[in-house]
Every structure is written in C-alpha cells, then in structure tokens.
C-alpha cells in the first residue's frame, strides 16, 4: 500500500529512467520471485508512542488488501540495525507499470473507507518518510538470476553514495568484486540497484537476501579467501573506495510477512511463511475425578 504515497510524486516520472537501463539485458530466472527491474522504496520512521498501534494498523491494512483487487504488491522490512525504521519496497517492471496503482489507489480508498482510515492512522503516526525509486543493474550484481525473494527472511542492504561523475569507477569496483565472488564460488548472491529518484545522485543500493542470520557468519569466514581471490584488483578497489565513495552505510533488516502484501504466485514460493494457516488451539476438557492415569500439575509438585 506504500505506493499510495507516490501519488504526489507522479509528475516526477520522466524519461530519466532511460538513461539508467542501458546495458541491462540479463533476465533473472522466475520473474515473479526474482528481483524486480524497478523498486519503489519507502523509508518510514514512526513515533515511539504509537509503535504498537502502527504495527496493528499495517497488519490490518495488509489483511484487508488480501480481500481486494489492489493494483500492486509490497514487502515490508523492519530494521534490526541502524535507526528504527520500516522499509517497504514495491516491485515493478517499468515506470509505465506505475501508472495503474497511482491512478487507482484514490478510488480504492473512496470505495473502502475503512482502508482509508487505516492509512490515515498510519500517516498520522509518521515522524518522517522518504520515497526512492531505483533501477536494477544486472551488470554490477552477483548471480542475481539465482535470487528467489520468496525464500528470503532477512536483507543486508549496502548504500553507497558517490562523488559526482564517479559511476564508472563504482561499476569497475563491483565488477571486480563479482569476479572475486565467482572465484570463491560463493552461494550468497546479491543484486545492485541504481537510484533514479529520491536520493542524492549518484547512489547505489546493494541487496543481499538471506534465508538465515547465520549467513552473516559465512560472510565473515570468507573475508580472507575473498581478499585472496581479489588478487591484484584489491588495491585498485580500495583506491576507488577512498576516492569515489562519499558515504557508505550497511544495515540489516528482517522481512515482516504480516505487514506485506504479495501475489499468490509469489506466496506459492513459500506459503508457510507468506500465508500461514491460523493455528487452532485445542479446547481443554474438564478434569476427571479420581486417578485418570495422567498426572495433573498439582500431582507433579
């Protein structure tokens, strides 16, 4: 539902998209659960006092949308490190695909006022919000065609802001890094997105989906072998980092399926996680008189 926040920014969707997608031709396998070509990212921070209420409202909104024909899906991430925030990303294939949800959400809220009230409550609890649009860069990613987002539980996200005009150096560094990962045969793929709108440019975002937090241990163990695989390229990569990178920030997020709204095809990749069945609590029977052969709590004391 975060796409509703884009209505005010609709006028900014211009042909700037075309300048970023040159050279991106590789198609990930399994389009429904693969990293999308276009990401709409919404970073939100909420007042501490309304934290629990906010969670309740977002879950209620996501459940309401499951019963409606809403025009888009979204995945919600809760921050584990860094500032407390909620990060939502909506997947799209193009800017043109954004036109439908931007046009339809207003009428959805008008037709379903209870959903509109939930969104109004969520907005009232906001402390800050920013919306970012980023485009997938397969040429800078590592085995992105093996990523299945439906299996992810956590994300490491690296944000790199460059000094102006240093995009080619960043590309060089990440292509060398990808080559080093290939040499070590790492089974932890990642995908790079280039920010197109909403952040100081140039900025790149690297998403590392993880099935478990333990994969962070694997990253630490691979440091030495990765450095060795970089070989002569290591010094050049360090030089680029010193000269081209303005700021870098890496944070960890967990996926919240209750707040998310994904398609049936996406959820089919791991239905127990995305659409769990409600647990049935067995009713406790009345105590029998006498000894039934089963110890009661009082008998065990």
């Amino acid at each position: 539902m975060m796409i509703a926040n884009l209505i005010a920014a609709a006028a900014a969707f211009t042909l700037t998209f075309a300048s970023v997608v040159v050279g991106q031709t590789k198609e990930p396998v399994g389009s429904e659960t693969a990293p999308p070509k276009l990401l709409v990212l919404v970073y939100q921070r909420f007042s501490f006092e309304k934290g629990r209420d906010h969670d309740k409202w977002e879950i209620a909104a996501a459940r309401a949308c499951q019963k409606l024909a809403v025009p888009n899906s979204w995945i919600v991430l809760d921050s584990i490190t860094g500032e407390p925030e909620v990060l939502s990303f909506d997947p799209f294939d193009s800017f043109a695909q954004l036109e439908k949800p931007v046009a339809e959400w207003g009428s959805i809220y008008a037709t379903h006022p209870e959903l509109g009230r939930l969104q109004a409550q969520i907005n009232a609890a906001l402390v800050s919000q920013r919306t970012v649009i980023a485009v997938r860069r397969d040429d800078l990613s590592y085995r992105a065609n093996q990523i299945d987002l439906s299996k992810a539980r956590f994300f490491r996200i690296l944000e790199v802001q460059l000094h102006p005009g240093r995009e080619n150096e960043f590309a060089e560094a990440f292509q060398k890094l990808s080559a080093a990962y290939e040499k070590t045969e790492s089974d932890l793929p990642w995908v790079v997105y280039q920010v197109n709108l909403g952040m100081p440019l140039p900025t790149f975002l690297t998403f590392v989906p993880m099935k478990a937090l333990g994969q962070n241990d694997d990253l630490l163990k691979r440091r030495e072998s990765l450095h060795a695989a970089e070989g002569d390229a290591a010094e050049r990569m360090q030089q680029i980092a010193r000269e081209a990178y303005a700021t870098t920030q890496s944070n960890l997020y967990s996926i919240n399926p209750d707040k998310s709204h994904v398609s049936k095809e996406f959820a089919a990749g791991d239905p127990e996680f995305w659409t769990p069945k409600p647990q049935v609590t067995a009713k406790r029977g009345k105590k029998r008189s006498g000894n039934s052969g089963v110890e009661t709590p009082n008998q065990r004391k």
Side-chain angles (χ1 to χ4, degrees):
M1 189 160 53
M2 301 302 178
I3 191 61
N5 297 297
L6 283 173
I7 295 176
F13 301 155
T14 66
L15 294 177
T16 52
F17 172 66
S19 65
V20 184
V21 299
V22 176
Q24 300 176 45
T25 57
K26 297 179 182 178
E27 283 297 322
V29 176
S31 59
E32 190 65 37
T33 59
K37 295 179 181 178
L38 194 72
L39 271 184
V40 175
L41 301 155
V42 181
Y43 297 80
Q44 295 180 315
R45 294 182 182 177
F46 294 88
S47 62
F48 179 78
E49 295 79 9
K50 294 188 177 181
R52 289 186 178 180
D53 288 334
H54 155 257
D55 289 342
K56 178 180 66 177
W57 297 330
E58 282 218 348
I59 292 171
R63 289 177 179 173
C65 288
Q66 290 176 357
K67 303 174 184 179
L68 305 175
V70 297
N72 61 287
S73 60
W74 57 89
I75 296 175
V76 175
L77 313 177
D78 293 321
S79 64
I80 296 177
T81 62
E83 295 290 334
E85 68 178 3
V86 175
L87 172 57
S88 168
F89 69 80
D90 299 26
F92 293 94
D93 286 332
S94 65
F95 274 92
Q97 197 181 54
L98 278 168
E99 294 180 10
K100 183 177 180 181
V102 167
E104 291 185 7
W105 269 106
S107 61
I108 291 174
Y109 287 143
T111 308
H112 303 278
E114 71 286 355
L115 187 58
R117 282 193 294 269
L118 284 170
Q119 185 60 48
Q121 289 174 309
I122 293 171
N123 291 343
L126 278 170
V127 172
S128 66
Q129 175 175 291
R130 58 174 174 153
T131 301
V132 174
I133 298 179
V135 182
R136 194 181 72 210
R137 288 291 301 269
D138 293 337
D139 56 321
L140 307 182
S141 305
Y142 171 68
R143 298 186 180 182
N145 61 346
Q146 296 181 13
I147 293 176
D148 183 345
L149 293 179
S150 69
K151 301 294 194 295
R153 299 293 177 269
F154 303 92
F155 274 98
R156 283 181 71 113
I157 302 178
L158 171 66
E159 177 185 314
V160 180
Q161 291 188 10
L162 303 176
H163 294 298
R166 284 332 213 348
E167 293 94 326
N168 289 340
E169 291 166 272
F170 176 85
E172 177 188 350
F174 263 65
Q175 286 164 356
K176 292 181 184 299
L177 181 63
S178 180
Y181 265 69
E182 286 289 359
K183 287 181 182 179
T184 63
E185 297 183 347
S186 173
D187 59 356
L188 190 63
W190 31 268
V191 58
V192 175
Y193 284 83
Q194 183 171 356
V195 172
N196 187 247
L197 293 166
M199 274 186 177
L201 304 178
T203 298
F204 291 83
L205 303 170
T206 302
F207 289 79
V208 185
M210 295 181 168
K211 296 179 181 179
L213 285 177
Q215 289 181 278
N216 287 280
D217 296 324
D218 297 334
L219 284 175
L220 294 174
K221 291 176 183 177
R222 285 180 176 271
R223 277 185 175 179
E224 289 187 10
S225 59
L226 183 62
H227 185 71
E230 290 170 356
D232 296 338
E235 185 175 345
R236 172 57 178 159
M237 292 167 65
Q238 291 175 6
Q239 179 188 7
I240 292 173
R242 288 192 303 268
E243 298 178 357
Y245 295 7
T247 64
T248 62
Q249 180 172 264
S250 182
N251 280 307
L252 186 65
Y253 295 83
S254 63
I255 294 176
N256 192 318
D258 293 327
K259 297 179 184 178
S260 305
H261 175 70
V262 298
S263 67
K264 292 181 180 179
E265 293 78 10
F266 186 100
D270 195 340
E272 291 185 5
F273 179 73
W274 294 105
T275 55
K277 295 180 180 179
Q279 294 187 2
V280 179
T281 304
K283 294 182 179 179
R284 299 182 64 180
K286 296 180 179 180
K287 290 184 179 181
R288 294 182 180 180
S289 59
N291 187 356
S292 63
V294 179
E295 291 182 334
T296 67
N298 288 333
Q299 288 175 315
R300 288 195 291 270
K301 289 183 180 178

